[in-house]
Amino acid sequence: MRTFLRKTLVAAALCALLAILLDLGLTWRSKGNQYERYADLNVIRAGKAEAEVVVIGNSRARYHYDARVLSDRLDRRCYNLGMIGYPLQDQLGKLEYYLEHSPAPDLVIVNVDIASMKPLARDTIIQYEQFLDDIRDPAVLGIVWGKTGFRPTDVLPWVRYAGFPEYVWKIVTKDTVTNVHAGFAASDKVLDPLRARQVSIPKEALEMLDVYLATLRIHRQRYWPHAKVAFVETPYHDSDSLWILQAIAPKLDARSELLVPVDLGWTHDPTNYMNRTHLNAKGAALFSALVADSLRAKGW
Amino acid sequence: MLFNSIHYLWFLPTVFALYWWVLRTMRAQNVLLIVASYVFYGWWDVRFLALLFISSFSDYWLGLWIDSSDDARVRKRALVLSLVFNLGILAYFKYSNFFIASAVDALHALGMQANIGTLNVILPVGVSFYTFQSISYTIEVYRREMRPVRDPIAYLAFVSFFPHMVAGPIMRAVDLLPQMSIPRRFTYANGVSGLRLIVQGLFKKVVIADSLAPMVDDVFRQYAWESGPDLMLGAIYFAFQIYGDFSGYSDIAIGSAKLFGIELMTNFRTPYLSRDIGDFWKRWHISLSTWFRDFLYIPLGGNRVGKARRIFNTLVTFIASGFWHGANWTFLAWGAIHGLLYVPYIGKKDVPAAPPGRLRVLVSTLLTFAGVTIAWVFFRAKSIGEAFGYVKGIFTQNVISVPERIEGIPFVVLLVLLDLLNRNNIRDPFGQVPQRWLRYTLYFILVLAVVLFSRRNDVQFIYFQF
């Protein structure tokens, strides 16, 4: 029995050591990962995301804003903090992470979107793998802690990647961007815009608007009091009105907030979309130019 | 509780420590095994612990009753009571809705309307396994193949022993009960091979079966739109998914039992390397196939009857075996297909007159695998119509095309390699690898892969539903 236990414990210890080494290797490998949203936290932590204008929002912020176009048109450095699939509280969590590593921006573009407004907080973690590389960072841990899908053992080396062998493969092969995009573009599990407008707008979303604005304002007062807020409404395919901006208008705090209306005449053109709810690169460039022009018209 | 859950990771060492260091007497160890087994089972649903206890205790008592009498009628009455009780549990929990739905369908086909609602019944996990095990006890006592056990603790430990209670191997009382009635001894060899089996089983389940599962689900869900080659791959993936899943479970069960000094029977012996369907059934789910052989096929007349009757007995046995798996026509069809595949071998000798050539072995192995795989389609499909549609699609839907669903092939190859590596050492995988460094490298790869592939939500074993 004694020999059995000794050998088992030695083997377990060696296995744990190997797990730590592999984890270090993956950490090193992922540090060099500059792809898309998986790279965001790396870029932010390295202080390379410093910008005067940042965009927060969900996937439609991520895909609809071309930071280069905004930078060129506004003549200010811009950075896109959009997070795929995330509600406002997590978007603000990422902004907090940004603020820990960079000075506060002058302007925060808030991409207002039906999907972000419905649940302000979500109890499940969407696309958890985007947090794995930095899971032990207290700020990142703050985003995922207590949510379904997170396990306290996830802070352990190697164990944190449990359930995500494809992601590990992507880190090893540096294949992150292609597959994530392909998988995302192929997914049909995005909010149906028609349903969003017809069903959710009058009943749920507008009721949530006050909570949404209050949450945003409290966060602003606490973490970025000197920055201004620009509300931009996200375009869906065949958008016909800026209904959220219209709803915000009477509640606007004109000293620190501004509305940025954008012409929607182009939203019926399917060549601007990669699916019904997300713009492609062409659409993002067009939309970003319109946002920048609208901001310039307001003195930015 | 699932073997592949984080809970089992602390449950097993805790019971192990208590078993060997705190409770050193055989009786105390048996009590611990019962408590641990009831915790293990109750983790899923405490409501069915009573059913487990009543089922176990009634057979314990009936075993004593059978043995206490020399009157054949009394003995038979007690046996029938045991059969009715155990099969009644199965009939109610597992088959009642199937019979009701089938009766309604039959009446409807005859032009009659019947407003009979199905029952709101939950199928208790493992009920098919522990009832069959209990039945084997009373039959063996009735046949005087063993004396009944007087110690109720030993009997309860025999039925509920957690490593095998939920999904087998279905142990025969004559093999397992004596082990519950003698002091057990820990040996280094048993401990090591137990751990090896557990690691191998987890690898088969978590890495191979659970990775193939979503691919299989996809193909079967949209089989009408898949190409023939992809349908073929989907069927092959399912063959390996269910093998990895079930043999993985058996490995963990046997390995866990070894840690307690208890030997469970081998349940799988590289079945996909079988040369014919008879060979396959000596290697696949051995505990169930031998159960049906001993308690159904042989009582029906076995090999002692004419060929026509043997064919009939074979078909009945295979169909019953299919029906044991679940209350669906697809399982009956699966059993019937195996029965039909088996019929040509009835009357043939097991060992060929001349040693077959390598090519012949390869061809017969592939043909056997093809037959088994086609039968798996019926096992996996939701209905007979879907199964026929799937099989038809293999031969008719865009047959000349390059398969796209190739991502599962590495997992299939891994399982084949694992089988080839351990084919002569089923009960002690990797034990024949002479170099220690190579053995340890294999262990580490398997363990780290299991951690990496383990899902956020524990994935149930397929055979839990039976």
Side-chain angles (χ1 to χ4, degrees):
Chain A
M1 177 69 92
R2 198 170 290 176
T3 314
F4 171 75
L5 285 177
R6 184 170 47 78
K7 287 195 171 183
T8 305
L9 289 175
V10 168
L14 283 172
C15 202
L17 183 66
L18 195 62
I20 291 169
L21 291 175
L22 282 170
D23 193 85
L24 286 173
L26 284 174
T27 305
W28 170 77
R29 187 76 176 164
S30 67
K31 288 285 176 279
N33 181 359
Q34 296 298 313
Y35 292 127
E36 267 284 339
R37 71 181 188 285
Y38 292 121
D40 260 5
L41 299 177
N42 293 337
V43 174
I44 292 169
R45 196 176 40 250
K48 292 178 185 169
E50 217 177 292
E52 291 143 305
V53 178
V54 297
V55 181
I56 65 168
N58 60 7
S59 63
R60 272 169 288 282
R62 179 88 242 167
Y63 285 102
H64 292 189
Y65 295 83
D66 186 329
R68 281 169 304 182
V69 173
L70 284 173
S71 298
D72 290 347
R73 293 245 175 178
L74 293 174
D75 200 23
R76 289 160 191 260
R77 279 173 299 170
C78 296
Y79 196 78
N80 188 341
L81 292 172
M83 298 170 82
I84 291 174
Y86 275 86
L88 180 66
Q89 285 195 351
D90 293 330
Q91 294 164 20
L92 294 175
K94 190 168 179 184
L95 180 59
E96 253 174 77
Y97 188 76
Y98 169 87
L99 292 170
E100 278 179 20
H101 296 87
S102 306
D106 298 331
L107 179 70
V108 175
I109 296 176
V110 178
N111 183 65
V112 287
D113 184 300
I114 175 79
S116 291
M117 290 177 62
K118 280 175 66 183
L120 286 191
R122 202 190 290 262
D123 65 351
T124 52
I125 306 168
I126 304 162
Q127 297 191 5
Y128 190 21
E129 62 266 39
Q130 66 182 303
F131 301 111
L132 295 177
D133 297 339
D134 300 278
I135 196 85
R136 288 190 288 263
D137 186 306
V140 175
L141 208 53
I143 295 176
V144 295
W145 188 274
K147 294 191 178 179
T148 308
F150 171 76
R151 302 184 296 199
T153 50
D154 287 346
V155 297
L156 298 174
W158 189 252
V159 176
R160 62 176 160 160
Y161 292 110
F164 296 100
E166 300 89 354
Y167 182 57
V168 168
W169 183 250
K170 282 171 187 172
I171 295 175
V172 172
T173 59
K174 295 205 167 189
D175 185 30
T176 319
V177 71
T178 318
N179 286 344
V180 167
H181 271 281
F184 183 72
S187 167
D188 57 358
K189 290 177 185 169
V190 285
L191 188 71
D192 182 337
L194 209 59
R195 185 178 170 277
R197 275 187 287 160
Q198 290 178 347
V199 179
S200 305
I201 290 171
K203 284 188 178 172
E204 296 169 50
L206 288 180
E207 287 170 12
M208 291 296 291
L209 188 61
D210 287 340
V211 184
Y212 181 87
L213 288 175
T215 307
L216 191 68
R217 284 167 182 163
I218 290 167
H219 196 271
R220 177 178 163 272
Q221 278 171 9
R222 185 168 173 191
Y223 294 103
W224 35 291
H226 304 299
K228 296 227 170 191
V229 181
F231 291 107
V232 181
E233 183 156 352
T234 203
Y236 281 98
H237 189 205
D238 271 343
S239 293
D240 51 10
S241 68
L242 297 172
W243 65 270
I244 304 181
L245 289 196
Q246 286 165 16
I248 291 177
K251 305 167 192 280
L252 197 72
D253 176 358
R255 288 167 301 171
S256 59
E257 297 168 350
L258 64 150
L259 298 179
V260 187
V262 174
D263 170 40
L264 297 175
W266 52 278
T267 56
H268 65 279
D269 181 0
T271 64
N272 291 318
Y273 290 83
M274 68 174 172
N275 59 32
R276 290 179 69 191
T277 51
H278 293 85
L279 296 174
N280 58 20
K282 177 178 163 248
L286 173 63
F287 176 65
S288 302
L290 289 170
V291 170
D293 291 347
S294 186
L295 279 168
R296 281 168 64 95
K298 289 188 179 276
W300 282 83
Chain B
M1 193 181 295
L2 297 170
F3 284 158
N4 54 330
S5 67
I6 197 86
H7 306 115
Y8 196 66
L9 200 62
W10 60 258
F11 176 83
L12 184 66
T14 306
V15 180
F16 178 84
L18 290 171
Y19 187 87
W20 291 114
W21 295 318
V22 180
L23 308 164
R24 288 162 175 266
T25 66
M26 186 261 295
R27 197 173 167 81
Q29 286 176 335
N30 281 347
V31 171
L32 172 69
L33 287 181
I34 295 168
V35 172
S37 300
Y38 276 64
V39 169
F40 181 88
Y41 192 76
W43 209 268
W44 167 70
D45 193 331
V46 288
R47 289 174 298 174
F48 292 107
L49 288 176
L51 182 71
L52 174 65
F53 179 79
I54 292 166
S55 167
S56 314
F57 204 78
S58 61
D59 284 315
Y60 164 74
W61 179 73
L62 286 167
L64 291 176
W65 188 19
I66 291 169
D67 188 64
S68 66
S69 174
D70 286 328
D71 184 337
R73 280 179 307 172
V74 173
R75 291 169 60 81
K76 200 164 199 167
R77 204 174 298 152
L79 176 67
V80 169
L81 204 57
S82 166
L83 291 175
V84 167
F85 181 69
N86 284 298
L87 296 178
I89 289 173
L90 270 185
Y92 175 72
F93 284 104
K94 194 165 178 174
Y95 300 109
S96 52
N97 281 331
F98 172 75
F99 288 131
I100 291 170
S102 299
V104 170
D105 287 348
L107 289 172
H108 187 70
L110 294 170
M112 290 183 270
Q113 291 295 328
N115 285 325
I116 311 170
T118 51
L119 304 174
N120 187 18
V121 179
I122 302 170
L123 178 67
V125 166
V127 68
S128 308
F129 290 90
Y130 68 72
T131 49
F132 264 43
Q133 184 159 287
S134 241
I135 288 172
S136 84
Y137 169 72
T138 45
I139 295 177
E140 279 164 349
V141 171
Y142 175 78
R143 289 176 177 172
R144 299 192 195 279
E145 287 170 1
M146 66 178 295
R147 297 299 310 277
V149 66
R150 303 274 161 196
D151 178 6
I153 300 294
Y155 186 79
L156 289 175
F158 152 70
V159 177
S160 65
F161 185 44
F162 70 87
H164 78 127
M165 171 179 41
V166 177
I170 302 169
M171 289 298 291
R172 306 284 281 279
V174 75
D175 295 324
L176 184 54
L177 250 176
Q179 296 188 63
M180 293 295 177
S181 309
I182 53 166
R184 274 83 64 171
R185 204 166 58 85
F186 181 85
T187 64
Y188 175 77
N190 254 352
V192 171
S193 60
L195 283 185
R196 285 173 181 160
L197 278 164
I198 290 172
V199 170
Q200 176 181 261
L202 283 171
F203 182 81
K204 284 181 180 176
K205 162 68 181 163
V206 174
V207 178
I208 292 171
D210 291 350
S211 298
L212 289 171
M215 304 173 207
V216 172
D217 292 346
D218 267 4
V219 179
F220 274 80
R221 189 172 52 240
Q222 51 193 33
Y223 71 91
W225 292 274
E226 299 283 341
S227 69
D230 280 332
L231 288 174
M232 196 154 64
L233 275 180
I236 292 170
Y237 290 167
F238 180 64
F240 280 89
Q241 181 202 345
I242 195 165
Y243 175 45
D245 193 284
F246 195 18
S247 74
Y249 181 94
S250 295
D251 285 347
I252 302 169
I254 297 166
S256 301
K258 273 176 178 279
L259 293 179
F260 299 100
I262 291 168
E263 290 292 335
L264 299 182
M265 69 181 292
T266 300
N267 219 11
F268 292 89
R269 210 180 280 278
T270 59
Y272 292 149
L273 300 178
S274 307
R275 296 178 197 177
D276 59 53
I277 205 73
D279 192 20
F280 175 80
W281 278 104
K282 286 176 189 149
R283 295 156 171 256
W284 178 273
H285 203 174
I286 299 166
S287 64
L288 182 72
S289 54
T290 51
W291 196 99
F292 272 104
R293 182 196 64 198
D294 294 345
F295 299 121
L296 182 63
Y297 181 72
I298 291 175
L300 283 172
N303 293 340
R304 296 157 299 169
V305 291
K307 189 166 183 180
R309 179 62 198 242
R310 278 183 71 185
I311 290 172
F312 173 79
N313 291 348
T314 302
L315 288 174
V316 166
T317 306
F318 273 110
I319 290 170
S321 159
F323 200 48
W324 174 88
H325 283 85
N328 194 329
W329 293 104
T330 51
F331 294 118
L332 286 169
W334 173 78
I337 292 170
H338 273 280
L340 291 171
L341 290 172
Y342 194 87
V343 164
Y345 296 93
I346 290 175
K348 284 192 177 179
K349 287 184 179 174
D350 286 343
V351 184
R358 279 188 182 180
L359 184 64
R360 203 171 151 186
V361 168
L362 182 67
V363 170
S364 56
T365 304
L366 289 176
L367 282 175
T368 305
F369 178 72
V372 168
T373 303
I374 293 290
W376 282 133
V377 173
F378 284 80
F379 193 93
R380 173 62 177 75
K382 288 196 180 99
S383 66
I384 296 282
E386 184 180 310
F388 275 116
Y390 191 105
V391 175
K392 187 182 165 197
I394 293 177
F395 302 104
T396 57
Q397 287 171 202
N398 206 4
V399 178
I400 312 294
S401 62
V402 179
E404 292 175 1
R405 296 187 174 276
I406 54 172
E407 65 271 29
I409 291 175
F411 297 102
V412 171
V413 172
L414 267 177
L415 192 46
V416 172
L417 288 177
L418 209 55
D419 259 11
L420 288 172
L421 180 69
N422 293 321
R423 66 187 184 281
N424 297 323
N425 238 350
I426 300 291
R427 294 186 70 84
D428 186 21
F430 316 112
Q432 77 283 17
V433 177
Q435 297 89 346
R436 182 189 288 182
W437 67 267
L438 187 57
R439 268 200 322 269
Y440 275 77
T441 305
L442 279 170
Y443 303 154
F444 293 155
I445 290 172
L446 295 192
V447 170
L448 292 173
V450 166
V451 172
L452 183 60
F453 279 78
S454 61
R455 302 300 189 270
R456 299 267 137 184
N457 303 316
D458 300 322
V459 186
Q460 265 206 356
F461 288 86
I462 293 175
Y463 264 68
F464 273 29
Q465 62 186 293
F466 307 137

